[in-house]
Amino acid sequence: APSALTNARQQLELLREHVPGGLGLQLKSRESRLGPMSPARSVRSRAATAISPELPPIDFSALRRFICATPQERSEAFGNASTLPSVLRAVLHRLTSAESRLPLRRGFLAAVFCFDVLGVRSRPTALPALLDDSEVSELTLGILAALACEAGGRSYIVSSDASLQRMIHLLKSKPLDSSVHIQVLAAMQRLSLRRSAQDRMIEMGLVEWAVYVLGSPTGEGHGMPSEFSLEFGSAMLMNLALRSAGKRRCLEQDMLPVAMKLMEHWNPQIRTHINGTLYSLLSLQSFRDSAQRAGLEAMLR
């Protein structure tokens, strides 16, 4: 919307595009493994009131050229001063660091999609290539998960169908609760709010995947699903069950026993998501009949 774009551009006054010396995104951050980004366990209150250190401005055009370039193009244009992982880590740091005030982080997030930093519009092959690169896929997914927290970021990501398909493939293929799996599940749960993403996710079997993960105690030899996987997986399934195609897939997977098992889970977020899914499925007569025979009404009292 024009008003949203105007607001984003006002916020970007804090992040002037021109910077002498080119790509001025050099952060002294240690290389650490990415962890779960659960909305229920964030540090938003502290971040919103923290005093932010002075941050250097960024040339977003140079940043886009650096991230979207092939290794050879990157070496020829920028030399070896910065590596792709270090730059992506710096981007992720600016998006998520609790040391930055929330308005600054939201302004930087808006800049990422306004200036097409990941090349979704200007170089459509760039983001899928980053997701395919094992060296930077986890960092890229962390950035996408942060972008997906905002409506503008979700619109930006889902406009790349090839990237969305790569993310679905990663979610289904990576070990449960591995670092890559955690990042992609966080992103997919947020993207499941978008109708176009829902269509692709249902088509590519994420309803079946979610029902399996929520209902399986072993997770195919990868151990019990963590609370994070249950919380974000149930939230994603609730969103997909809003669609007629998603409801049909849930019926085909015999969702009722899984839902009845999780209705009494100690985590209130998981219970809320399961109740939301049941509310959608109870609009189907066949599901209501099955629920009555299984004694769901007594459990709800």
Side-chain angles (χ1 to χ4, degrees):
S3 59
L5 183 59
T6 300
N7 183 55
R9 292 191 181 281
Q10 289 174 347
Q11 293 179 2
L12 291 178
E13 289 298 316
L14 298 171
L15 301 162
R16 296 178 186 271
E17 185 179 8
H18 180 70
V19 54
L23 190 66
L25 191 68
Q26 306 296 327
L27 295 180
K28 296 186 174 90
S29 60
R30 64 180 179 272
E31 298 185 15
S32 59
R33 294 188 65 83
L34 301 176
M37 295 186 295
S38 172
R41 291 158 190 81
S42 63
V43 288
R44 289 175 184 154
S45 59
R46 181 167 68 90
T49 57
I51 299 176
S52 301
E54 188 70 24
L55 297 174
I58 297 170
D59 183 340
F60 287 101
S61 296
L63 179 60
R64 180 181 62 247
R65 292 194 304 272
F66 183 90
I67 290 176
C68 297
T70 65
Q72 181 177 352
E73 292 170 342
R74 193 176 298 119
S75 177
E76 292 175 353
F78 297 95
N80 299 317
S82 299
T83 65
L84 181 59
S86 66
V87 170
L88 292 177
R89 190 174 295 109
V91 171
L92 181 60
H93 186 273
R94 282 228 177 172
L95 286 170
T96 62
S97 174
E99 302 306 317
S100 298
R101 290 178 60 85
L102 183 59
L104 285 176
R105 286 187 281 127
R106 296 187 72 179
F108 182 75
L109 188 152
V112 170
F113 61 79
C114 284
F115 292 106
D116 191 24
V117 167
L118 299 178
V120 170
R121 296 184 295 269
S122 60
R123 192 160 182 172
T125 59
L127 183 54
L130 292 173
L131 292 169
D132 287 339
D133 186 344
S134 59
E135 185 181 13
V136 297
S137 60
E138 185 179 343
L139 287 166
T140 304
L141 288 166
I143 292 170
L144 294 177
L147 290 176
C149 292
E150 298 283 346
R154 291 191 289 272
S155 297
Y156 180 67
I157 297 168
V158 301
S159 64
S160 173
D161 187 62
S163 299
L164 187 61
Q165 291 188 51
R166 297 291 203 292
M167 295 169 71
I168 294 171
H169 173 72
L170 288 170
L171 180 60
K172 295 171 66 177
S173 62
K174 293 299 180 180
L176 195 66
D177 294 314
S178 64
S179 55
V180 171
H181 174 270
I182 287 170
Q183 298 300 335
V184 71
L185 178 56
M188 295 307 297
Q189 183 271 319
R190 294 157 186 164
L191 294 178
S192 69
L193 296 168
R194 305 308 293 257
R195 188 178 183 88
S196 59
Q198 290 171 352
D199 290 336
R200 180 62 73 187
M201 293 162 74
I202 293 170
E203 176 188 321
M204 294 186 66
L206 283 196
V207 170
E208 292 85 346
W209 178 88
V211 173
Y212 172 78
V213 169
L214 296 176
S216 173
T218 59
E220 290 233 353
H222 300 302
M224 294 282 289
S226 68
E227 182 188 346
F228 179 90
S229 289
L230 291 176
E231 183 175 327
F232 277 72
S234 61
M236 182 179 70
L237 182 62
M238 179 181 66
N239 293 334
L240 298 181
L242 294 171
R243 306 296 300 279
S244 296
K247 292 184 179 71
R248 290 195 296 270
R249 297 288 183 100
C250 286
L251 288 180
E252 293 169 1
Q253 296 300 306
D254 196 17
M255 174 65 191
L256 183 58
V258 176
M260 293 178 71
K261 181 189 77 171
L262 292 175
M263 279 176 60
E264 298 180 351
H265 196 280
W266 69 269
N267 186 321
Q269 292 295 324
I270 295 173
R271 295 199 304 270
T272 298
H273 302 153
I274 293 299
N275 290 336
T277 302
L278 284 172
Y279 184 83
S280 295
L281 295 177
L282 286 169
S283 64
L284 302 176
Q285 183 63 50
S286 59
F287 188 84
R288 288 201 302 272
D289 294 341
S290 298
Q292 285 183 331
R293 291 193 295 270
L296 178 63
E297 184 176 358
M299 290 185 65
L300 294 174
R301 288 177 176 173

